[in-house]
Amino acid sequence: MDRWRWGRGLGVRPEEQGRFAYFFLVSVALSLGGTLGLVGSEALFLTHVGPTALPYTLVVASLSALAASLAYATVVGRVRNDQLLAGLLVMGGVMLFLILARARSGGDSGWVMLFCSFYVFQAVYINLHFWTFATDFFDTLASKRLFPLLAVGASLGGFLGGSAGAVLGSWVSAEALIVAWAGTLVGLGGVVFGTRHRLMHWRVLDSVEADESSAEGMRGALDFMASSRLARWL
């Protein structure tokens, strides 16, 4: 059997298949862990805080995601994207453990922070940095062919995470789902860090090239917001 047959069927060229499989699995793992976190954080919020606070907390979560995205824009481009991803993953996992410990100690603030954490994760890790990271390893034409397939990986991870949450929900607590989410992030961060030398062989951008599309675009948006009448009014 031709070992490259599956890749040709998906439009993945033989020389791209190793890195495509790598990024596809990273996409699956990010989405799987995040879905476990979504299920766990929402269940814990509704249990400990209650549905009446949900509308206000969604506003806080959106503002948290906005602030995290702007903070991300000040860092991206200054650090190599694979190193930044590994650092974000490990730091995010550790922060989840700390937030869960705070929530267990009493008070609603910990559960609110845990709820908001998913929205920050979705904005920075999945919507922003994963794709910024991937563009270092696929040129423009390859990106047009392969990025829709990487998005399929995210959908697959969401399906697996949702299925796991549904099955495990009757066996483990919602807090265990948060622990699984945090563990997924730390473990994936270790994998990204451990494979950094292999990644350098796949890189298509110069190692000192900044990602202008994300860094400068986000900074331009921040400058525009700071100088707008609406921002001054707020």
Side-chain angles (χ1 to χ4, degrees):
M1 179 181 292
D2 187 347
R3 62 180 297 196
W4 306 119
R5 184 175 300 172
W6 68 270
R8 285 204 300 264
L10 295 174
V12 184
R13 296 170 181 170
E15 66 274 13
E16 299 168 339
Q17 290 186 10
R19 56 188 149 139
F20 170 77
Y22 180 93
F23 282 91
F24 185 86
L25 292 175
V26 169
S27 178
V28 170
L30 280 174
S31 187
L32 189 156
T35 305
L36 291 175
L38 174 64
V39 174
S41 62
E42 289 192 351
L44 290 168
F45 177 86
L46 293 174
T47 298
H48 294 278
V49 182
T52 56
L54 185 58
Y56 305 102
T57 306
L58 285 171
V59 174
V60 174
S62 299
L63 292 175
S64 300
L66 174 61
S69 298
L70 294 175
Y72 165 81
T74 66
V75 176
V76 67
R78 300 182 182 183
V79 182
R80 213 171 67 194
N81 284 326
D82 59 310
Q83 295 175 344
L84 181 57
L85 178 61
L88 285 172
L89 288 167
V90 173
M91 181 179 67
V94 171
M95 287 299 298
L96 286 172
F97 284 121
L98 295 176
I99 293 171
L100 181 58
R102 174 187 172 88
R104 285 172 170 171
S105 67
D108 293 343
S109 61
W111 305 116
V112 172
M113 292 171 64
L114 198 59
F115 181 88
C116 294
S117 296
F118 171 77
Y119 291 84
V120 171
F121 170 80
Q122 184 76 21
V124 175
Y125 290 67
I126 294 181
N127 293 345
L128 287 174
H129 194 64
F130 173 76
W131 299 107
T132 300
F133 175 46
T135 55
D136 286 356
F137 301 92
F138 299 95
D139 60 29
T140 302
L141 294 178
S143 298
K144 291 179 179 179
R145 285 185 292 105
L146 301 179
F147 279 19
L149 296 176
L150 296 182
V152 172
S155 298
L156 176 60
F159 169 76
L160 295 174
S163 300
V167 172
L168 294 175
S170 58
W171 295 91
V172 301
S173 67
E175 293 182 11
L177 298 181
I178 301 300
V179 172
W181 178 25
T184 300
L185 295 187
V186 173
L188 185 58
V191 169
V192 172
F193 182 78
T195 56
R196 64 192 185 282
H197 297 301
R198 175 180 290 275
L199 286 170
M200 288 301 96
H201 295 293
W202 290 335
R203 190 177 174 90
V204 296
L205 295 178
D206 185 81
S207 60
V208 298
E209 181 179 351
D211 187 345
E212 299 295 329
S213 62
S214 59
E216 295 304 321
M218 291 286 289
R219 292 182 188 124
L222 180 59
D223 292 340
F224 173 78
M225 289 178 61
S227 62
S228 69
R229 292 182 178 179
L230 177 60
R232 289 196 295 271
W233 179 78
L234 292 173

mmCIF file of all heavy atoms in Angstrom, residues 30-78:
data_model
loop_
_atom_site.group_PDB
_atom_site.id
_atom_site.type_symbol
_atom_site.label_atom_id
_atom_site.label_comp_id
_atom_site.label_asym_id
_atom_site.label_seq_id
_atom_site.Cartn_x
_atom_site.Cartn_y
_atom_site.Cartn_z
ATOM 1 N N LEU A 30 -5.757 20.645 21.466
ATOM 2 C CA LEU A 30 -6.198 21.932 22.009
ATOM 3 C C LEU A 30 -7.713 21.976 22.157
ATOM 4 O O LEU A 30 -8.247 22.385 23.193
ATOM 5 C CB LEU A 30 -5.735 23.073 21.098
ATOM 6 C CG LEU A 30 -4.296 23.547 21.231
ATOM 7 C CD1 LEU A 30 -3.988 24.564 20.143
ATOM 8 C CD2 LEU A 30 -4.042 24.154 22.596
ATOM 9 N N SER A 31 -8.400 21.564 21.109
ATOM 10 C CA SER A 31 -9.860 21.612 21.139
ATOM 11 C C SER A 31 -10.445 20.599 22.111
ATOM 12 O O SER A 31 -11.428 20.881 22.809
ATOM 13 C CB SER A 31 -10.412 21.375 19.732
ATOM 14 O OG SER A 31 -11.807 21.584 19.692
ATOM 15 N N LEU A 32 -9.843 19.412 22.180
ATOM 16 C CA LEU A 32 -10.320 18.397 23.121
ATOM 17 C C LEU A 32 -10.201 18.898 24.564
ATOM 18 O O LEU A 32 -11.157 18.839 25.343
ATOM 19 C CB LEU A 32 -9.511 17.111 22.923
ATOM 20 C CG LEU A 32 -9.985 15.851 23.661
ATOM 21 C CD1 LEU A 32 -9.477 14.608 22.927
ATOM 22 C CD2 LEU A 32 -9.521 15.803 25.108
ATOM 23 N N GLY A 33 -9.018 19.392 24.910
ATOM 24 C CA GLY A 33 -8.830 19.904 26.259
ATOM 25 C C GLY A 33 -9.743 21.076 26.557
ATOM 26 O O GLY A 33 -10.336 21.165 27.643
ATOM 27 N N GLY A 34 -9.884 21.989 25.591
ATOM 28 C CA GLY A 34 -10.738 23.140 25.802
ATOM 29 C C GLY A 34 -12.198 22.770 25.988
ATOM 30 O O GLY A 34 -12.906 23.389 26.790
ATOM 31 N N THR A 35 -12.658 21.761 25.266
ATOM 32 C CA THR A 35 -14.050 21.327 25.418
ATOM 33 C C THR A 35 -14.286 20.715 26.786
ATOM 34 O O THR A 35 -15.328 20.946 27.419
ATOM 35 C CB THR A 35 -14.429 20.331 24.311
ATOM 36 O OG1 THR A 35 -14.163 20.928 23.031
ATOM 37 C CG2 THR A 35 -15.906 19.977 24.387
ATOM 38 N N LEU A 36 -13.335 19.934 27.269
ATOM 39 C CA LEU A 36 -13.433 19.428 28.644
ATOM 40 C C LEU A 36 -13.505 20.595 29.629
ATOM 41 O O LEU A 36 -14.282 20.574 30.592
ATOM 42 C CB LEU A 36 -12.244 18.537 28.970
ATOM 43 C CG LEU A 36 -12.166 17.184 28.265
ATOM 44 C CD1 LEU A 36 -10.861 16.476 28.619
ATOM 45 C CD2 LEU A 36 -13.355 16.300 28.628
ATOM 46 N N GLY A 37 -12.689 21.617 29.376
ATOM 47 C CA GLY A 37 -12.711 22.787 30.237
ATOM 48 C C GLY A 37 -14.019 23.538 30.174
ATOM 49 O O GLY A 37 -14.522 24.034 31.190
ATOM 50 N N LEU A 38 -14.593 23.631 28.983
ATOM 51 C CA LEU A 38 -15.884 24.306 28.829
ATOM 52 C C LEU A 38 -16.972 23.595 29.615
ATOM 53 O O LEU A 38 -17.734 24.229 30.364
ATOM 54 C CB LEU A 38 -16.254 24.363 27.345
ATOM 55 C CG LEU A 38 -17.648 24.909 27.016
ATOM 56 C CD1 LEU A 38 -17.772 26.361 27.441
ATOM 57 C CD2 LEU A 38 -17.928 24.758 25.513
ATOM 58 N N VAL A 39 -17.030 22.279 29.462
ATOM 59 C CA VAL A 39 -18.039 21.498 30.178
ATOM 60 C C VAL A 39 -17.858 21.640 31.686
ATOM 61 O O VAL A 39 -18.804 21.915 32.435
ATOM 62 C CB VAL A 39 -17.978 20.014 29.759
ATOM 63 C CG1 VAL A 39 -18.922 19.176 30.611
ATOM 64 C CG2 VAL A 39 -18.322 19.860 28.282
ATOM 65 N N GLY A 40 -16.608 21.478 32.150
ATOM 66 C CA GLY A 40 -16.355 21.530 33.577
ATOM 67 C C GLY A 40 -16.572 22.909 34.182
ATOM 68 O O GLY A 40 -17.200 23.050 35.231
ATOM 69 N N SER A 41 -16.077 23.957 33.505
ATOM 70 C CA SER A 41 -16.179 25.304 34.062
ATOM 71 C C SER A 41 -17.619 25.791 34.102
ATOM 72 O O SER A 41 -18.048 26.436 35.077
ATOM 73 C CB SER A 41 -15.312 26.281 33.265
ATOM 74 O OG SER A 41 -15.742 26.367 31.921
ATOM 75 N N GLU A 42 -18.408 25.480 33.072
ATOM 76 C CA GLU A 42 -19.806 25.897 33.079
ATOM 77 C C GLU A 42 -20.602 25.144 34.137
ATOM 78 O O GLU A 42 -21.443 25.728 34.834
ATOM 79 C CB GLU A 42 -20.430 25.705 31.701
ATOM 80 C CG GLU A 42 -19.925 26.703 30.666
ATOM 81 C CD GLU A 42 -20.755 26.692 29.398
ATOM 82 O OE1 GLU A 42 -21.617 25.797 29.253
ATOM 83 O OE2 GLU A 42 -20.540 27.582 28.556
ATOM 84 N N ALA A 43 -20.344 23.846 34.280
ATOM 85 C CA ALA A 43 -21.053 23.065 35.295
ATOM 86 C C ALA A 43 -20.734 23.574 36.695
ATOM 87 O O ALA A 43 -21.633 23.727 37.541
ATOM 88 C CB ALA A 43 -20.681 21.590 35.172
ATOM 89 N N LEU A 44 -19.466 23.871 36.953
ATOM 90 C CA LEU A 44 -19.074 24.364 38.271
ATOM 91 C C LEU A 44 -19.628 25.757 38.537
ATOM 92 O O LEU A 44 -20.048 26.065 39.661
ATOM 93 C CB LEU A 44 -17.541 24.364 38.384
ATOM 94 C CG LEU A 44 -16.896 22.980 38.448
ATOM 95 C CD1 LEU A 44 -15.387 23.084 38.250
ATOM 96 C CD2 LEU A 44 -17.211 22.298 39.774
ATOM 97 N N PHE A 45 -19.638 26.596 37.518
ATOM 98 C CA PHE A 45 -20.190 27.943 37.692
ATOM 99 C C PHE A 45 -21.672 27.887 38.033
ATOM 100 O O PHE A 45 -22.140 28.553 38.962
ATOM 101 C CB PHE A 45 -19.967 28.761 36.423
ATOM 102 C CG PHE A 45 -20.569 30.142 36.484
ATOM 103 C CD1 PHE A 45 -19.855 31.189 37.042
ATOM 104 C CD2 PHE A 45 -21.845 30.386 36.005
ATOM 105 C CE1 PHE A 45 -20.408 32.456 37.116
ATOM 106 C CE2 PHE A 45 -22.404 31.651 36.078
ATOM 107 C CZ PHE A 45 -21.678 32.689 36.643
ATOM 108 N N LEU A 46 -22.427 27.102 37.293
ATOM 109 C CA LEU A 46 -23.863 27.014 37.537
ATOM 110 C C LEU A 46 -24.158 26.389 38.891
ATOM 111 O O LEU A 46 -25.138 26.744 39.545
ATOM 112 C CB LEU A 46 -24.533 26.217 36.418
ATOM 113 C CG LEU A 46 -24.509 26.879 35.036
ATOM 114 C CD1 LEU A 46 -25.068 25.934 33.978
ATOM 115 C CD2 LEU A 46 -25.293 28.182 35.034
ATOM 116 N N THR A 47 -23.305 25.470 39.331
ATOM 117 C CA THR A 47 -23.517 24.816 40.620
ATOM 118 C C THR A 47 -23.214 25.750 41.786
ATOM 119 O O THR A 47 -23.981 25.840 42.747
ATOM 120 C CB THR A 47 -22.637 23.560 40.732
ATOM 121 O OG1 THR A 47 -23.007 22.634 39.704
ATOM 122 C CG2 THR A 47 -22.813 22.889 42.093
ATOM 123 N N HIS A 48 -22.097 26.475 41.709
ATOM 124 C CA HIS A 48 -21.635 27.253 42.852
ATOM 125 C C HIS A 48 -22.074 28.715 42.813
ATOM 126 O O HIS A 48 -22.193 29.341 43.868
ATOM 127 C CB HIS A 48 -20.107 27.194 42.934
ATOM 128 C CG HIS A 48 -19.574 25.829 43.236
ATOM 129 N ND1 HIS A 48 -19.519 25.319 44.513
ATOM 130 C CD2 HIS A 48 -19.079 24.857 42.421
ATOM 131 C CE1 HIS A 48 -19.014 24.100 44.486
ATOM 132 N NE2 HIS A 48 -18.732 23.787 43.225
ATOM 133 N N VAL A 49 -22.280 29.276 41.628
ATOM 134 C CA VAL A 49 -22.660 30.687 41.519
ATOM 135 C C VAL A 49 -24.128 30.837 41.145
ATOM 136 O O VAL A 49 -24.848 31.636 41.731
ATOM 137 C CB VAL A 49 -21.759 31.421 40.501
ATOM 138 C CG1 VAL A 49 -22.121 32.905 40.434
ATOM 139 C CG2 VAL A 49 -20.288 31.262 40.881
ATOM 140 N N GLY A 50 -24.557 30.059 40.160
ATOM 141 C CA GLY A 50 -25.959 30.078 39.772
ATOM 142 C C GLY A 50 -26.202 30.784 38.456
ATOM 143 O O GLY A 50 -25.393 31.617 38.017
ATOM 144 N N PRO A 51 -27.327 30.475 37.810
ATOM 145 C CA PRO A 51 -27.606 31.028 36.480
ATOM 146 C C PRO A 51 -27.921 32.514 36.476
ATOM 147 O O PRO A 51 -27.792 33.170 35.437
ATOM 148 C CB PRO A 51 -28.813 30.204 36.004
ATOM 149 C CG PRO A 51 -29.463 29.729 37.264
ATOM 150 C CD PRO A 51 -28.356 29.514 38.250
ATOM 151 N N THR A 52 -28.356 33.077 37.590
ATOM 152 C CA THR A 52 -28.722 34.495 37.584
ATOM 153 C C THR A 52 -27.521 35.405 37.324
ATOM 154 O O THR A 52 -27.677 36.517 36.808
ATOM 155 C CB THR A 52 -29.368 34.883 38.930
ATOM 156 O OG1 THR A 52 -28.465 34.563 40.001
ATOM 157 C CG2 THR A 52 -30.678 34.126 39.134
ATOM 158 N N ALA A 53 -26.337 34.953 37.682
ATOM 159 C CA ALA A 53 -25.128 35.754 37.466
ATOM 160 C C ALA A 53 -24.520 35.533 36.090
ATOM 161 O O ALA A 53 -23.527 36.203 35.745
ATOM 162 C CB ALA A 53 -24.088 35.435 38.536
ATOM 163 N N LEU A 54 -25.089 34.632 35.306
ATOM 164 C CA LEU A 54 -24.479 34.273 34.025
ATOM 165 C C LEU A 54 -24.370 35.447 33.051
ATOM 166 O O LEU A 54 -23.308 35.635 32.446
ATOM 167 C CB LEU A 54 -25.254 33.115 33.392
ATOM 168 C CG LEU A 54 -24.685 32.540 32.099
ATOM 169 C CD1 LEU A 54 -23.259 32.034 32.311
ATOM 170 C CD2 LEU A 54 -25.575 31.412 31.583
ATOM 171 N N PRO A 55 -25.425 36.272 32.845
ATOM 172 C CA PRO A 55 -25.289 37.371 31.877
ATOM 173 C C PRO A 55 -24.142 38.320 32.211
ATOM 174 O O PRO A 55 -23.379 38.729 31.320
ATOM 175 C CB PRO A 55 -26.649 38.076 31.955
ATOM 176 C CG PRO A 55 -27.586 37.033 32.444
ATOM 177 C CD PRO A 55 -26.787 36.208 33.395
ATOM 178 N N TYR A 56 -24.010 38.699 33.479
ATOM 179 C CA TYR A 56 -22.933 39.611 33.871
ATOM 180 C C TYR A 56 -21.567 38.942 33.737
ATOM 181 O O TYR A 56 -20.586 39.582 33.347
ATOM 182 C CB TYR A 56 -23.149 40.064 35.311
ATOM 183 C CG TYR A 56 -24.510 40.675 35.549
ATOM 184 C CD1 TYR A 56 -25.518 39.947 36.170
ATOM 185 C CD2 TYR A 56 -24.793 41.979 35.128
ATOM 186 C CE1 TYR A 56 -26.778 40.493 36.378
ATOM 187 C CE2 TYR A 56 -26.053 42.535 35.340
ATOM 188 C CZ TYR A 56 -27.042 41.793 35.964
ATOM 189 O OH TYR A 56 -28.280 42.332 36.162
ATOM 190 N N THR A 57 -21.520 37.659 34.057
ATOM 191 C CA THR A 57 -20.249 36.954 33.971
ATOM 192 C C THR A 57 -19.801 36.804 32.521
ATOM 193 O O THR A 57 -18.598 36.823 32.228
ATOM 194 C CB THR A 57 -20.362 35.573 34.631
ATOM 195 O OG1 THR A 57 -20.859 35.738 35.971
ATOM 196 C CG2 THR A 57 -19.015 34.882 34.692
ATOM 197 N N LEU A 58 -20.738 36.674 31.606
ATOM 198 C CA LEU A 58 -20.379 36.608 30.185
ATOM 199 C C LEU A 58 -19.744 37.915 29.722
ATOM 200 O O LEU A 58 -18.816 37.909 28.899
ATOM 201 C CB LEU A 58 -21.614 36.290 29.341
ATOM 202 C CG LEU A 58 -22.096 34.842 29.390
ATOM 203 C CD1 LEU A 58 -23.443 34.704 28.683
ATOM 204 C CD2 LEU A 58 -21.074 33.910 28.737
ATOM 205 N N VAL A 59 -20.216 39.035 30.249
ATOM 206 C CA VAL A 59 -19.598 40.320 29.928
ATOM 207 C C VAL A 59 -18.171 40.357 30.462
ATOM 208 O O VAL A 59 -17.228 40.764 29.759
ATOM 209 C CB VAL A 59 -20.430 41.479 30.505
ATOM 210 C CG1 VAL A 59 -19.703 42.809 30.297
ATOM 211 C CG2 VAL A 59 -21.808 41.523 29.866
ATOM 212 N N VAL A 60 -17.997 39.917 31.708
ATOM 213 C CA VAL A 60 -16.664 39.872 32.307
ATOM 214 C C VAL A 60 -15.752 38.938 31.511
ATOM 215 O O VAL A 60 -14.576 39.246 31.263
ATOM 216 C CB VAL A 60 -16.743 39.426 33.776
ATOM 217 C CG1 VAL A 60 -15.354 39.241 34.366
ATOM 218 C CG2 VAL A 60 -17.528 40.438 34.597
ATOM 219 N N ALA A 61 -16.284 37.792 31.081
ATOM 220 C CA ALA A 61 -15.495 36.836 30.307
ATOM 221 C C ALA A 61 -15.061 37.438 28.971
ATOM 222 O O ALA A 61 -13.915 37.255 28.535
ATOM 223 C CB ALA A 61 -16.301 35.558 30.082
ATOM 224 N N SER A 62 -15.963 38.168 28.329
ATOM 225 C CA SER A 62 -15.618 38.804 27.049
ATOM 226 C C SER A 62 -14.546 39.862 27.234
ATOM 227 O O SER A 62 -13.610 39.962 26.430
ATOM 228 C CB SER A 62 -16.879 39.424 26.429
ATOM 229 O OG SER A 62 -17.854 38.435 26.177
ATOM 230 N N LEU A 63 -14.664 40.662 28.284
ATOM 231 C CA LEU A 63 -13.642 41.675 28.553
ATOM 232 C C LEU A 63 -12.315 41.029 28.914
ATOM 233 O O LEU A 63 -11.245 41.531 28.534
ATOM 234 C CB LEU A 63 -14.116 42.592 29.680
ATOM 235 C CG LEU A 63 -15.312 43.496 29.350
ATOM 236 C CD1 LEU A 63 -15.759 44.259 30.590
ATOM 237 C CD2 LEU A 63 -14.962 44.463 28.221
ATOM 238 N N SER A 64 -12.358 39.913 29.620
ATOM 239 C CA SER A 64 -11.130 39.184 29.953
ATOM 240 C C SER A 64 -10.442 38.672 28.695
ATOM 241 O O SER A 64 -9.210 38.756 28.559
ATOM 242 C CB SER A 64 -11.444 38.016 30.890
ATOM 243 O OG SER A 64 -12.027 38.456 32.092
ATOM 244 N N ALA A 65 -11.235 38.141 27.771
ATOM 245 C CA ALA A 65 -10.669 37.656 26.510
ATOM 246 C C ALA A 65 -10.071 38.796 25.702
ATOM 247 O O ALA A 65 -9.004 38.646 25.086
ATOM 248 C CB ALA A 65 -11.746 36.934 25.702
ATOM 249 N N LEU A 66 -10.734 39.964 25.716
ATOM 250 C CA LEU A 66 -10.204 41.130 25.011
ATOM 251 C C LEU A 66 -8.886 41.577 25.615
ATOM 252 O O LEU A 66 -7.908 41.822 24.896
ATOM 253 C CB LEU A 66 -11.228 42.261 25.065
ATOM 254 C CG LEU A 66 -10.775 43.612 24.490
ATOM 255 C CD1 LEU A 66 -10.437 43.487 23.010
ATOM 256 C CD2 LEU A 66 -11.846 44.676 24.706
ATOM 257 N N ALA A 67 -8.838 41.671 26.936
ATOM 258 C CA ALA A 67 -7.608 42.097 27.604
ATOM 259 C C ALA A 67 -6.472 41.108 27.344
ATOM 260 O O ALA A 67 -5.326 41.512 27.097
ATOM 261 C CB ALA A 67 -7.857 42.238 29.107
ATOM 262 N N ALA A 68 -6.782 39.822 27.384
ATOM 263 C CA ALA A 68 -5.754 38.808 27.138
ATOM 264 C C ALA A 68 -5.252 38.880 25.696
ATOM 265 O O ALA A 68 -4.057 38.701 25.437
ATOM 266 C CB ALA A 68 -6.308 37.416 27.439
ATOM 267 N N SER A 69 -6.151 39.152 24.755
ATOM 268 C CA SER A 69 -5.745 39.265 23.355
ATOM 269 C C SER A 69 -4.821 40.456 23.143
ATOM 270 O O SER A 69 -3.836 40.367 22.401
ATOM 271 C CB SER A 69 -6.990 39.400 22.468
ATOM 272 O OG SER A 69 -7.814 38.259 22.559
ATOM 273 N N LEU A 70 -5.126 41.567 23.791
ATOM 274 C CA LEU A 70 -4.267 42.740 23.666
ATOM 275 C C LEU A 70 -2.912 42.492 24.325
ATOM 276 O O LEU A 70 -1.872 42.912 23.810
ATOM 277 C CB LEU A 70 -4.960 43.957 24.292
ATOM 278 C CG LEU A 70 -6.227 44.424 23.572
ATOM 279 C CD1 LEU A 70 -6.901 45.554 24.343
ATOM 280 C CD2 LEU A 70 -5.908 44.875 22.152
ATOM 281 N N ALA A 71 -2.913 41.816 25.456
ATOM 282 C CA ALA A 71 -1.645 41.461 26.103
ATOM 283 C C ALA A 71 -0.827 40.537 25.210
ATOM 284 O O ALA A 71 0.404 40.676 25.101
ATOM 285 C CB ALA A 71 -1.914 40.805 27.462
ATOM 286 N N TYR A 72 -1.507 39.594 24.571
ATOM 287 C CA TYR A 72 -0.826 38.688 23.636
ATOM 288 C C TYR A 72 -0.177 39.468 22.500
ATOM 289 O O TYR A 72 0.946 39.155 22.081
ATOM 290 C CB TYR A 72 -1.838 37.680 23.093
ATOM 291 C CG TYR A 72 -1.383 36.916 21.884
ATOM 292 C CD1 TYR A 72 -0.552 35.804 22.005
ATOM 293 C CD2 TYR A 72 -1.776 37.308 20.599
ATOM 294 C CE1 TYR A 72 -0.125 35.110 20.891
ATOM 295 C CE2 TYR A 72 -1.357 36.610 19.482
ATOM 296 C CZ TYR A 72 -0.525 35.508 19.628
ATOM 297 O OH TYR A 72 -0.100 34.825 18.535
ATOM 298 N N ALA A 73 -0.857 40.510 22.023
ATOM 299 C CA ALA A 73 -0.330 41.291 20.911
ATOM 300 C C ALA A 73 0.967 41.998 21.261
ATOM 301 O O ALA A 73 1.786 42.283 20.383
ATOM 302 C CB ALA A 73 -1.365 42.327 20.454
ATOM 303 N N THR A 74 1.186 42.280 22.541
ATOM 304 C CA THR A 74 2.427 42.932 22.950
ATOM 305 C C THR A 74 3.606 41.962 23.029
ATOM 306 O O THR A 74 4.750 42.391 23.106
ATOM 307 C CB THR A 74 2.259 43.615 24.330
ATOM 308 O OG1 THR A 74 2.058 42.610 25.333
ATOM 309 C CG2 THR A 74 1.064 44.565 24.315
ATOM 310 N N VAL A 75 3.311 40.674 23.025
ATOM 311 C CA VAL A 75 4.365 39.662 23.180
ATOM 312 C C VAL A 75 4.689 38.971 21.866
ATOM 313 O O VAL A 75 5.858 38.706 21.558
ATOM 314 C CB VAL A 75 3.940 38.609 24.233
ATOM 315 C CG1 VAL A 75 4.976 37.497 24.336
ATOM 316 C CG2 VAL A 75 3.728 39.268 25.586
ATOM 317 N N VAL A 76 3.664 38.652 21.063
ATOM 318 C CA VAL A 76 3.889 37.896 19.834
ATOM 319 C C VAL A 76 4.806 38.677 18.903
ATOM 320 O O VAL A 76 4.724 39.896 18.780
ATOM 321 C CB VAL A 76 2.542 37.581 19.140
ATOM 322 C CG1 VAL A 76 1.878 38.839 18.621
ATOM 323 C CG2 VAL A 76 2.733 36.578 18.008
ATOM 324 N N GLY A 77 5.716 37.977 18.268
ATOM 325 C CA GLY A 77 6.696 38.606 17.403
ATOM 326 C C GLY A 77 8.017 38.862 18.103
ATOM 327 O O GLY A 77 9.043 39.028 17.453
ATOM 328 N N ARG A 78 7.994 38.908 19.439
ATOM 329 C CA ARG A 78 9.227 39.098 20.198
ATOM 330 C C ARG A 78 9.867 37.771 20.602
ATOM 331 O O ARG A 78 11.056 37.723 20.928
ATOM 332 C CB ARG A 78 8.953 39.918 21.462
ATOM 333 C CG ARG A 78 8.391 41.303 21.185
ATOM 334 C CD ARG A 78 8.196 42.075 22.473
ATOM 335 N NE ARG A 78 7.623 43.393 22.224
ATOM 336 C CZ ARG A 78 7.400 44.304 23.168
ATOM 337 N NH1 ARG A 78 7.720 44.022 24.430
ATOM 338 N NH2 ARG A 78 6.873 45.463 22.853
#
